[in-house]
């Protein structure tokens, strides 16, 4: 009987150990992390969560960076059998991008708080993730890198910065370089924050710019057709109030630093502005996923880059706009699964 009880306790301990290592917030310390600008994020920490199991050959890893203002926790709805990434097959490392409020950010840095936190780039986000994988997790090759929105922008950068590191790359609703329309949208967000007297140069007591950003995102994250179907005329103010909840969930200074990173993002910058030269570096097999009605990250640049790569393109034609891939997940997930099969 004692042996049976001991075995039960052992199995329970092992199951609890597995739970504590998977799907929970973890951190890796990178020390003082040098940015491409030459500035340093002091005592840099990168947050991440893992899903599934890494095989013996470490050949089934998929990196999935967070979107604008998003966290690794918010990504978990994408992972699991029958979902965008099947975690019975793949080992997912969902990573918190710099300045998202979980990894080192203006909102959580003790050494460089608020606007003392240096400007970062999408390339810095990718470089920090490379160090997380190679130095902390001892993973030196990935099955794939994929991400949505700003996660898609990081995916484009991964393809160019570390071309041999992954077999497949799947940028979703992302861009290798934002359009003028996109830049105007994110400049609106920056102006909404900085022109609000509550901002006080980053030393605010309440989140600034909330109403304007909520209204802008309500209009741009979907399409007019979808918005009018989902929101009645007499409920539009209620819809704005609901949108405010999402805005206040992202610290304004964090929003500034991530928006600046996206606005400065250009995979061709180190190559004299030549997208052709940037594309020539890519070795991964690429599936670009866009929605033709995306008003938050215009799809044109992603489609043009895909053409240079002779890559597959999945063009969605629904009325969900930037949210199109999530709206059409019943079609997107099987396409991704088929693309990742050897």
């Amino acid at each position: 009987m004692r042996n049976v009880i001991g075995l039960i306790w052992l199995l329970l301990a092992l199951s609890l150990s597995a739970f504590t290592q998977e799907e929970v917030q973890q951190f890796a310390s990178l020390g003082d992390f040098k940015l491409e600008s030459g500035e340093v994020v002091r005592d840099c920490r990168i947050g991440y969560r893992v899903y599934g199991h890494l095989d013996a050959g470490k050949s089934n890893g998929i990196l999935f960076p967070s979107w604008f203002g998003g966290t690794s926790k918010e990504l978990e709805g994408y992972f699991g059998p029958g979902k965008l990434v099947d975690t019975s097959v793949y080992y997912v490392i969902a990573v918190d991008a710099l300045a998202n409020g979980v990894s080192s950010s203006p909102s959580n840095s003790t050494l460089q708080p608020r606007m003392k936190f240096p400007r970062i780039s999408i390339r810095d986000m990718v470089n920090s993730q490379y160090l997380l994988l190679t130095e902390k997790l001892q993973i030196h090759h990935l099955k794939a890198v994929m991400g949505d929105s700003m996660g898609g922008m990081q995916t484009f950068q991964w393809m160019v910065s570390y071309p041999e590191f992954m077999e497949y790359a799947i940028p979703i609703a992302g861009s290798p370089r934002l359009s003028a329309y996109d830049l105007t949208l994110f400049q609106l967000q920056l102006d909404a924050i900085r022109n609000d007297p509550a901002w006080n140069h980053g030393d605010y007591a309440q989140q600034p710019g909330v109403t304007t950003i909520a209204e802008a995102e309500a209009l741009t994250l979907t399409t007019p057709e979808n918005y009018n179907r989902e929101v009645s005329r007499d409920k539009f103010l209620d819809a704005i109030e609901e949108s405010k909840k999402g805005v206040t969930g992202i610290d304004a200074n964090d929003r500034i630093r991530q928006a600046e990173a996206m606005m400065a993002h250009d995979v061709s910058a180190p190559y004299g502005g030549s997208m052709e030269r940037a594309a020539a570096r890519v070795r991964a097999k690429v599936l670009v996923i866009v929605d033709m009605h995306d008003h938050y990250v215009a799809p044109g640049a992603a489609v043009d880059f895909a053409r240079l790569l002779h890559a597959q393109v999945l063009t969605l034609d629904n009325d969900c706009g930037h949210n199109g891939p999530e709206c059409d997940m019943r079609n997107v997930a099987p396409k991704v699964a088929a693309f990742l099969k050897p």
Side-chain angles (χ1 to χ4, degrees), residues 246-268:
V247 174
T248 54
I250 305 172
D251 177 80
N253 288 334
D254 294 349
R255 183 182 289 271
I256 287 173
R257 287 297 185 243
Q258 286 204 336
E260 289 171 338
M262 290 190 294
M263 294 174 73
H265 176 58
D266 182 352
V267 296
S268 73

Side-chain angles (χ1 to χ4, degrees), residues 74-342:
E74 292 172 311
L75 295 174
E76 66 183 8
Y78 282 160
F79 312 139
K83 297 185 179 181
L84 183 62
V85 185
D86 186 348
T87 49
S88 69
V89 178
Y90 303 110
Y91 177 74
V92 178
I93 307 102
V95 64
D96 294 284
L98 285 170
N100 78 330
V102 178
S103 290
S104 289
S105 308
S107 64
N108 63 23
S109 175
T110 57
L111 298 175
Q112 297 163 297
R114 300 200 169 195
M115 285 291 95
K116 293 180 181 177
F117 195 87
R119 288 193 180 205
I120 57 171
S121 67
I122 297 293
R123 193 172 290 107
D124 292 326
M125 295 176 187
V126 167
N127 290 342
S128 70
Q129 294 157 18
Y130 177 82
L131 293 177
L132 165 67
L133 291 170
T134 58
E135 295 188 3
K136 306 302 177 180
L137 301 181
Q138 298 301 308
I139 295 175
H140 298 275
H141 191 73
L142 290 167
K143 179 75 172 181
V145 177
M146 60 189 300
D148 187 3
S149 191
M150 191 185 78
M153 298 176 72
Q154 292 167 80
T155 302
F156 276 113
Q157 189 62 59
W158 261 101
M159 291 156 49
V160 175
S161 290
Y162 300 100
E164 307 289 348
F165 203 88
M166 76 295 292
E167 297 175 46
Y168 299 89
I170 308 175
I172 304 169
S175 180
R177 177 174 60 194
L178 292 182
S179 70
Y181 185 94
D182 306 327
L183 292 172
T184 302
L185 171 61
F186 289 108
Q187 186 63 46
L188 180 155
Q189 296 198 24
L190 295 181
D191 290 342
I193 294 170
R194 290 169 174 158
N195 292 337
D196 188 331
W199 184 54
N200 191 29
H201 304 288
D203 295 324
Y204 42 80
Q206 61 184 30
Q207 295 293 323
V210 171
T211 299
T212 300
I213 294 172
E215 292 169 351
E217 291 198 335
L219 292 175
T220 54
L221 284 171
T222 185
T223 63
E225 293 77 14
N226 182 267
Y227 194 79
N228 287 334
R229 184 172 62 249
E230 297 295 328
V231 180
S232 62
R233 282 172 47 86
D234 60 334
K235 296 292 185 182
F236 84 96
L237 290 176
D238 294 337
I240 292 172
E241 288 301 313
E242 188 64 27
S243 183
K244 286 182 183 180
K245 296 178 183 178
V247 174
T248 54
I250 305 172
D251 177 80
N253 288 334
D254 294 349
R255 183 182 289 271
I256 287 173
R257 287 297 185 243
Q258 286 204 336
E260 289 171 338
M262 290 190 294
M263 294 174 73
H265 176 58
D266 182 352
V267 296
S268 73
Y271 313 104
S274 169
M275 283 292 180
E276 290 79 6
R277 289 176 60 193
R281 287 185 51 81
V282 177
R283 297 292 178 267
K285 297 177 182 178
V286 180
L287 170 63
V288 173
I289 301 176
V290 297
D291 191 295
M292 62 185 299
H293 304 293
D294 192 337
H295 301 306
Y296 200 78
V297 176
V303 173
D304 289 344
F305 200 69
R307 189 175 297 115
L308 293 174
L309 298 172
H310 304 289
Q312 293 186 40
V313 179
L314 175 58
T315 303
L316 305 178
D317 187 10
N318 56 49
D319 62 6
C320 291
H322 191 62
N323 296 327
E326 187 172 354
C327 286
D328 206 12
M329 193 56 68
R330 285 183 299 177
N331 293 318
V332 172
K335 294 284 188 181
V336 169
F339 180 71
L340 290 173
K341 284 183 178 178

